[in-house]
């Protein structure tokens, strides 16, 4: 499960914080995956964390992905009371709110633009309407050349049928996203099987984020999920898994159609 900072405390407490970044690599601590990562994006997941400088995040992603470096940046974070926090000033609109006095993400996106790092804007919608959230985020950040699409984390999707995406929702979201940029993709994340996801379609990418198991078991689950889709990706690096990170070879063996490998920052 991607989110470990849902806070059941005072909402005024800053939630977009996490420890200093640690990327868990494979058991031999190799960082040379980029040599065999042809035409596949590889990088890191940033859960709405703006304490470390953008340069550090950018360098971490580039170390892993080279010219195919990518950052999955959470810009709508699940919080208590079904709220979705956005890291810029906004008047509360239903379940979408912020306490930020400044736009925290904008300087980071400018840096990623400059460095040629690709960015997936991730949403943890909670009780918020996903289409409304897409509009709010892309009106603000859709102009950045680093942005390649929107990711909806189904673990925090409570609207419609919770944790599921129908073909109808898929088409509505994809149409809305591509109204901002025809080249944008729709990413969908969950750790469950394919029945939680819509049918395959051009410009959607299914991301698997299983954890708390052996890598052998996780690769079997990923293989089954990936068999239903043309373009897939995986989050790896949870210290609850054994070992924390799957090797590049095991990922590609399980799913040769893997297009994205995202390394999780974990304690």
């Amino acid at each position: 499960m991607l989110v470990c900072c849902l806070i059941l405390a005072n909402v005024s407490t800053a939630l977009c914080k996490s420890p200093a970044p640690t990327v868990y690599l494979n058991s031999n601590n190799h960082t040379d995956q980029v040599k065999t990562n042809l035409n596949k994006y590889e990088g890191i997941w940033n859960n709405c964390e703006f304490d470390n400088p953008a340069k550090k995040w950018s360098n971490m992603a580039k170390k892993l992905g080279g010219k195919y470096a990518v950052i999955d940046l959470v810009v709508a974070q699940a919080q208590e009371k079904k709220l979705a926090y956005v890291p810029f000033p906004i008047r509360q609109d239903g379940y979408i709110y912020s306490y930020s006095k400044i736009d925290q993400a904008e300087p980071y996106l400018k840096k990623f633009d400059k460095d040629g790092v690709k960015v997936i804007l991730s949403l943890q919608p909670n009780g918020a309407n996903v289409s409304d959230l897409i509009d709010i985020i892309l009106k603000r950040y859709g102009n950045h050349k680093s942005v390649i699409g929107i990711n909806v984390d189904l673990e925090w999707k409570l609207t419609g049928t919770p944790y599921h995406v129908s073909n109808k929702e898929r088409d509505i979201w994809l149409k809305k996203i591509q109204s901002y940029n025809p080249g944008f993709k729709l990413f969908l994340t969950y750790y469950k099987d394919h029945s939680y996801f819509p049918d395959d379609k051009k410009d959607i990418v299914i991301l698997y984020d299983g954890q708390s198991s052996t890598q052998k078991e996780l690769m079997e689950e990923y293989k089954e999920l990936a068999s239903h889709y043309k373009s897939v990706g995986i989050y790896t690096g949870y210290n609850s898994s054994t070992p924390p990170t799957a090797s590049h070879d095991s990922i590609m063996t399980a799913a040769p159609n893997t297009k994205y490998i995202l390394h999780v920052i974990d304690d």
Side-chain angles (χ1 to χ4, degrees):
M1 290 176 278
L2 280 181
V3 180
C4 53
C5 44
L6 176 67
I7 303 298
L8 300 177
N10 190 325
V11 295
S12 65
T13 302
L15 299 189
C16 290
K17 295 179 181 293
S18 65
T22 301
V23 175
Y24 290 88
L25 301 175
N26 62 40
S27 57
N28 295 319
N29 288 324
H30 288 318
T31 58
D32 60 354
Q33 288 95 329
V34 66
K35 295 178 182 178
T36 55
N37 192 20
L38 301 177
N39 299 314
K40 293 177 179 61
Y41 290 100
E42 187 162 3
I44 56 174
W45 173 66
N46 177 334
N47 189 13
C48 198
E49 196 278 288
F50 301 108
D51 283 345
N52 286 286
K55 180 179 179 179
K56 189 166 187 175
W57 291 106
S58 182
N59 288 345
M60 290 167 64
K62 289 190 291 184
K63 185 175 182 179
L64 289 162
K67 67 178 181 179
Y68 297 108
V70 63
I71 295 175
D72 179 347
L73 178 63
V74 176
V75 289
Q77 187 188 57
Q79 297 193 2
E80 66 169 353
K81 299 180 180 179
K82 300 182 181 180
L83 293 171
Y85 169 85
V86 294
F88 51 83
I90 189 175
R91 178 179 295 179
Q92 183 164 344
D93 182 5
Y95 290 102
I96 303 168
Y97 91 111
S98 181
Y99 51 77
S100 182
K101 304 297 184 184
I102 61 170
D103 189 324
Q104 296 172 284
E106 182 68 22
Y108 287 74
L109 289 167
K110 287 181 177 178
K111 174 62 174 173
F112 302 151
D113 287 346
K114 182 178 179 181
D115 288 355
V117 175
K118 301 304 181 186
V119 176
I120 302 166
L121 298 174
S122 271
L123 313 180
Q124 300 165 1
N126 251 356
N129 179 281
V130 175
S131 289
D132 292 346
L133 199 49
I134 289 171
D135 266 332
I136 287 171
I137 294 301
L138 287 183
K139 281 178 182 177
R140 196 165 193 103
Y141 301 133
N143 61 312
H144 284 279
K145 65 180 182 179
S146 55
V147 174
I148 60 174
I150 288 283
N151 176 40
V152 181
D153 185 346
L154 305 190
E155 182 179 354
W156 301 104
K157 174 188 175 289
L158 303 181
T159 53
T161 301
Y163 321 120
H164 290 72
V165 175
S166 67
N167 289 347
K168 181 178 179 180
E169 287 174 316
R170 173 203 65 192
D171 293 344
I172 290 171
W173 300 347
L174 189 57
K175 182 178 180 180
K176 182 172 289 291
I177 288 167
Q178 293 187 333
S179 71
Y180 289 88
N181 185 327
F184 281 170
K185 294 184 182 298
L186 171 63
F187 298 79
L188 300 170
T189 298
Y190 205 28
Y191 56 89
K192 296 288 189 179
D193 62 64
H194 74 277
S195 65
Y196 287 78
F197 296 95
D199 295 334
D200 200 12
K201 189 172 185 177
K202 185 178 181 292
D203 293 332
I204 72 165
V205 181
I206 302 302
L207 300 177
Y208 171 73
D209 70 333
Q211 61 168 307
S212 302
S213 190
T214 67
Q215 289 299 340
K216 182 177 184 297
E217 292 168 329
L218 293 172
M219 290 306 101
E220 289 173 352
E221 292 176 4
Y222 179 47
K223 179 179 180 179
E224 196 286 326
L225 176 61
S227 70
H228 295 271
Y229 299 95
K230 183 177 179 181
S231 297
V232 297
I234 188 170
Y235 296 85
T236 189
Y238 294 102
N239 63 1
S240 62
S241 302
T242 309
T245 296
S247 69
H248 189 274
D249 285 348
S250 67
I251 290 172
M252 299 310 299
T253 297
N257 51 332
T258 297
K259 303 297 183 184
Y260 298 85
I261 300 176
L262 297 161
H263 294 263
V264 173
I265 295 163
D266 213 347
D267 293 336

